[in-house]
Amino acid sequence: MKKDIALCRQLLPLLKLYPWAIPVIVVLGMLGSIFEGLGISLFVPVLQGLMQDSAATPGGSALIQWIFQLVDDISPQDRLWMLPALILLCILVKNLLSYTNGVLSAWLKCRVSHQLRSRVFHQLLTVSHSYLGTQDSGKLMNTLGGETWRTGEAIATLISLITTFCTTVVYTAILLLISPKLAVLIGVVMGTISLAIRRVTRRIDHLGKRVVESNANLGLRMYEGLVGMKTIRAFGQEPYEQQQFDRSSQQVQRSLLHLDMLSTTVSPLYEVFSALLVLTILVIAVQNDRTVLPTLLTFLFMLYRLQPQMQLFDSYRTKLQSLAGSVEDVLGFLDCQDKTYIHSGTQPFHALQQSIDLKSVSFHYADDQDPALDQVSLTIPAGKITALVGPSGAGKSTLIHLVCRFYDPSKGEVQVDGRSLPSLDLVQWRQHIAIVSQDIHVFNTTIAGNIAYGQMEASRDDIIAAAQQAHIHDFIQTLPQGYDTSVGDRGTRLSGGQRQRLALARAIVRNPDILILDEATNALDSISEHLIQEALDLFSRDRTVIVIAHRLSTVYSADQIVVLHQGQVVEQGNVQQLLQQNGLFSQMYQLQTVTPDHLTSNSSLV
Ligand code: ATP
């Protein structure tokens, strides 16, 4: 019971947007049950009439006395059609109320489920990268895709539970009014049956959590299977992956089967015990006194209607328990207390005037990890090109992440024109940035849609101009539907170089103040790269550009080159100064065996 109450406490706040809904559902449910009870009670005089025993007035029951007083003034002739008509009216009103209640409950369930899914997605979009980095992608997909549905199902179950509870209360009250003694006796027996069944269903809560765990595991396997398909095939690991997948799928199958087996025991158990009870009462009562037959039949009919409600009540409780794991998973994800967020500042940002400054910035991805950036102080001047070079893992991408405010520094501060970056309006700040990174995401929409993702208001002419600058226009023209061609899931219909050019067009159409190129041309052949470098040279004029490139030939014309090593700035200057220093940059330069000819002939920006 404690667990039920705790679960209801967790779920009820989800309905707070509609505070009127639960009272309305309760009232409609109760009214419906009252009309049904009234209709059933009217059977007593009808049966009495049919038995030609209208003189005999059944004693004891207040409700039956009241019903008889009600029909007293009607002649026995008229009773024969008026009472059935009244019963029919009661049934009609009851069903009208039930229908209204059903529609309202379905509406509420759909609304709340939608809001829940939307909140989970919003959480996914706003929670910090640090938190997301600690979560399994498969588990997150399962929370978003599967557990939100199951939580919506829990809300629907809670609503049904409340409605059924109200109906049960009204039916019980009517039973008490028909025959208090019999009602108490049956209450005791049914309570005992309920307790016996509860012993069977105690494990359901635990099993529900196991289902969530195994679903999350399966989600992870599905995700890895889809995303890593090429690697799996290239390394011939299909049998291994199949085995892993089957194992996870079997875990889901076993835990679900176990849960369903336990859940489905409730209904047959109830039915067998209840039938036994009803038959026993009928036999004993008729043997003792035949005149109570009409009252008894009405009582049994009412009981017969009550039993499925009680049965439903118990199965809803069981279902709610089985969904508790999902509710915990979703509400745990929605809980803001244990998560970090990148909060937006309030100061408006219109344009970068002077510089972005990193002041003794250190950053750890996790407390127990070495710093990815260690005491980095650096000025990125506005309108100039800053190149970040250094060995793999030196911290180049991390520095970009801090500039984009995907993360905040662990120590130190990033400043923009002398103002601290966190004080700026985050949306406005990011609106002035365009990033072309190593892992390009192409959306499953048209080419035009993908380019316009950089600037949703872009006209078709803007999109075409951007595509021309990124040297992808000619290729798009060869496609059957041109700019309206769908590129498939994650852009699988495009080559690596085409994806990269599409991403460049997306950045160009954004017309950003700050352009970040993180290995933006590494998938291009040398002819395309040369063409795009020329285009980017033009596009970069008067913009602040931060470029990361392993191929040093692509950064020679940068205004400043910053060499990072193990999270620290080890060298800084233009290409001539760095070569003269004979340090890390010079070593890297020699390893790439670049001749001085390249230096002069290939002096384009990126
Ligand atoms: P590359 O040139 O190979 O892309 P990089 O210079 O851009 O490397 P970063 O990606 O910034 O290097 O990584 C710097 C350090 O931070 C590395 O040691 C890396 O292992 C670590 N790191 C990067 N991303 C994460 C992450 N999400 N969680 C934990 N550690 C990370």
Side-chain angles (χ1 to χ4, degrees):
M1 195 52 126
K2 264 187 198 162
K3 278 185 181 166
D4 289 339
I5 295 171
L7 192 58
C8 291
R9 275 216 191 118
Q10 282 183 307
L11 284 172
L12 281 175
L14 296 175
L15 298 165
K16 70 172 180 242
L17 276 180
Y18 311 98
W20 49 267
I22 294 291
V24 171
I25 286 172
V26 167
V27 170
L28 285 176
M30 284 196 149
L31 277 177
S33 316
I34 288 170
F35 272 97
E36 178 164 22
L38 195 65
I40 293 171
S41 307
L42 284 169
F43 272 101
V44 181
V46 173
L47 289 171
Q48 209 90 7
L50 289 175
M51 289 173 73
Q52 306 288 313
D53 201 8
S54 54
T57 310
S61 148
L63 181 71
I64 301 298
Q65 297 291 342
W66 179 73
I67 296 275
F68 269 87
Q69 273 171 21
L70 208 71
V71 298
D72 216 21
D73 296 337
I74 309 170
S75 71
Q77 215 66 29
D78 288 346
R79 275 187 212 177
L80 275 179
W81 69 268
M82 273 185 82
L83 287 180
L86 263 175
I87 292 173
L88 205 67
L89 185 73
C90 286
I91 291 172
L92 208 71
V93 175
K94 182 252 161 182
N95 279 291
L96 213 65
L97 290 167
S98 293
Y99 173 75
T100 315
N101 214 359
V103 171
L104 182 63
S105 302
W107 176 84
L108 192 64
K109 171 194 148 185
C110 294
R111 292 284 304 178
V112 175
S113 301
H114 154 73
Q115 275 157 0
L116 197 65
R117 283 194 297 277
S118 173
R119 277 175 59 191
V120 169
F121 193 66
H122 182 256
Q123 176 79 310
L124 209 57
L125 291 179
T126 51
V127 75
S128 73
H129 279 264
S130 329
Y131 172 77
L132 290 178
T134 61
Q135 302 296 304
D136 284 340
S137 310
K139 186 177 178 309
L140 288 176
M141 266 178 60
N142 183 50
T143 302
L144 187 64
E147 304 310 340
T148 46
W149 281 103
R150 283 166 63 84
T151 305
E153 196 63 36
I155 289 164
T157 311
L158 176 69
I159 295 170
S160 306
L161 189 78
I162 294 172
T163 317
T164 315
F165 177 74
C166 298
T167 313
T168 309
V169 167
V170 174
Y171 285 179
T172 310
I174 294 172
L175 281 180
L176 276 167
L177 285 171
I178 295 175
S179 172
K181 275 187 204 157
L182 212 51
V184 171
L185 177 73
I186 283 175
V188 172
V189 180
M190 296 283 274
T192 316
I193 295 172
S194 217
L195 277 179
I197 288 171
R198 208 144 295 156
R199 284 177 69 87
V200 183
T201 57
R202 206 163 276 168
R203 285 200 63 223
I204 282 178
D205 174 31
H206 170 69
L207 278 173
K209 284 187 183 137
R210 216 196 280 165
V211 168
V212 173
E213 273 168 32
S214 44
N215 266 336
N217 242 330
L218 184 65
L220 184 65
R221 293 255 67 88
M222 288 188 205
Y223 178 77
E224 299 223 312
L226 283 174
V227 174
M229 188 60 79
K230 274 192 193 143
T231 316
I232 293 169
R233 292 189 186 189
F235 283 87
Q237 293 294 2
E238 293 95 332
Y240 170 76
E241 286 298 329
Q242 182 72 53
Q243 197 188 26
Q244 296 286 315
F245 186 88
D246 288 348
R247 193 178 297 160
S248 300
S249 178
Q250 265 163 6
Q251 261 170 15
V252 172
Q253 173 208 315
R254 269 197 289 271
S255 49
L256 261 180
L257 184 68
H258 213 154
L259 183 68
D260 283 351
M261 269 164 61
L262 264 190
S263 305
T264 40
T265 47
V266 176
S267 181
L269 278 176
Y270 246 117
E271 206 147 323
V272 170
F273 282 125
S274 308
L276 204 68
L277 178 68
V278 168
L279 287 172
T280 314
I281 294 169
L282 195 66
V283 171
I284 295 173
V286 173
Q287 272 176 353
N288 288 336
D289 182 2
R290 218 184 143 268
T291 59
V292 296
L293 197 59
T295 312
L296 192 66
L297 281 177
T298 313
F299 185 92
L300 287 178
F301 191 41
M302 198 70 222
L303 188 65
Y304 194 71
R305 297 289 295 145
L306 172 67
Q307 272 169 357
Q309 296 296 325
M310 291 185 72
Q311 208 172 319
L312 267 180
F313 184 75
D314 254 26
S315 64
Y316 285 144
R317 275 193 59 194
T318 313
K319 190 171 172 190
L320 207 55
Q321 281 307 331
S322 75
L323 295 168
S326 306
V327 175
E328 231 167 74
D329 183 63
V330 170
L331 295 187
F333 183 65
L334 284 176
D335 186 8
C336 304
Q337 307 291 325
D338 57 345
K339 295 175 190 71
T340 47
Y341 295 84
I342 299 289
H343 294 290
S344 173
T346 51
Q347 292 185 27
F349 176 78
H350 301 300
L352 183 66
Q353 308 284 351
Q354 294 146 21
S355 60
I356 302 167
D357 299 280
L358 279 81
K359 305 262 180 190
S360 298
V361 164
S362 297
F363 181 75
H364 298 253
Y365 280 100
D367 290 343
D368 54 352
Q369 261 188 333
D370 287 341
L373 288 178
D374 189 10
Q375 297 279 326
V376 171
S377 291
L378 176 69
T379 294
I380 299 168
K384 303 266 187 230
I385 298 153
T386 300
L388 302 176
V389 299
S392 187
K396 304 179 294 288
S397 300
T398 305
L399 198 148
I400 299 282
H401 291 161
L402 296 187
V403 169
C404 293
R405 251 202 110 196
F406 295 150
Y407 301 91
D408 280 334
S410 315
K411 275 193 207 142
E413 192 176 51
V414 180
Q415 290 185 350
V416 175
D417 294 338
R419 295 185 291 173
S420 92
L421 181 53
S423 70
L424 301 184
D425 183 298
L426 190 57
V427 174
Q428 286 181 11
W429 170 244
R430 287 195 186 145
Q431 262 167 2
H432 287 80
I433 298 177
I435 179 162
V436 185
S437 62
Q438 302 172 44
D439 46 340
I440 295 156
H441 185 79
V442 178
F443 294 91
N444 189 3
T445 177
T446 60
I447 298 257
N450 263 293
I451 297 176
Y453 203 83
Q455 174 63 264
M456 290 296 193
E457 287 84 36
S459 67
R460 185 50 72 106
D461 286 347
D462 296 336
I463 292 171
I464 293 173
Q468 279 167 338
Q469 266 183 281
H471 290 274
I472 195 174
H473 175 74
D474 291 345
F475 161 72
I476 297 171
Q477 294 289 69
T478 64
L479 295 172
Q481 282 142 316
Y483 280 85
D484 296 317
T485 309
S486 179
V487 291
D489 187 22
R490 287 173 285 123
T492 39
R493 285 180 212 157
L494 300 175
S495 73
Q498 286 158 353
R499 272 206 293 273
Q500 211 153 40
R501 280 183 275 166
L502 191 74
L504 282 172
R506 185 189 288 165
I508 291 170
V509 86
R510 193 169 178 80
N511 194 18
D513 254 17
I514 303 156
L515 177 66
I516 297 174
L517 304 166
D518 184 353
E519 288 286 325
T521 54
N522 67 354
L524 298 176
D525 62 88
S526 41
I527 297 174
S528 308
E529 188 180 9
H530 182 72
L531 285 172
I532 285 179
Q533 276 175 356
E534 278 181 358
L536 279 173
D537 262 346
L538 263 177
F539 184 69
S540 303
R541 229 163 258 166
D542 299 327
R543 285 178 216 270
T544 310
V545 180
I546 307 172
V547 54
I548 296 179
H550 282 294
R551 260 185 280 179
L552 297 185
S553 61
T554 59
V555 298
Y556 288 151
S557 65
D559 295 290
Q560 69 164 342
I561 300 173
V562 178
V563 186
L564 284 163
H565 184 46
Q566 294 180 343
Q568 292 181 324
V569 176
V570 289
E571 287 166 34
Q572 202 171 340
N574 62 30
V575 67
Q576 315 291 354
Q577 291 164 335
L578 291 179
L579 284 176
Q580 275 165 17
Q581 278 181 27
N582 217 7
L584 184 57
F585 183 83
S586 169
Q587 279 172 31
M588 288 162 66
Y589 170 81
Q590 273 155 26
L591 280 174
Q592 291 192 11
T593 59
V594 182
T595 64
D597 282 351
H598 286 87
L599 192 64
T600 46
S601 67
N602 194 1
S603 60
S604 53
L605 153 67
V606 277

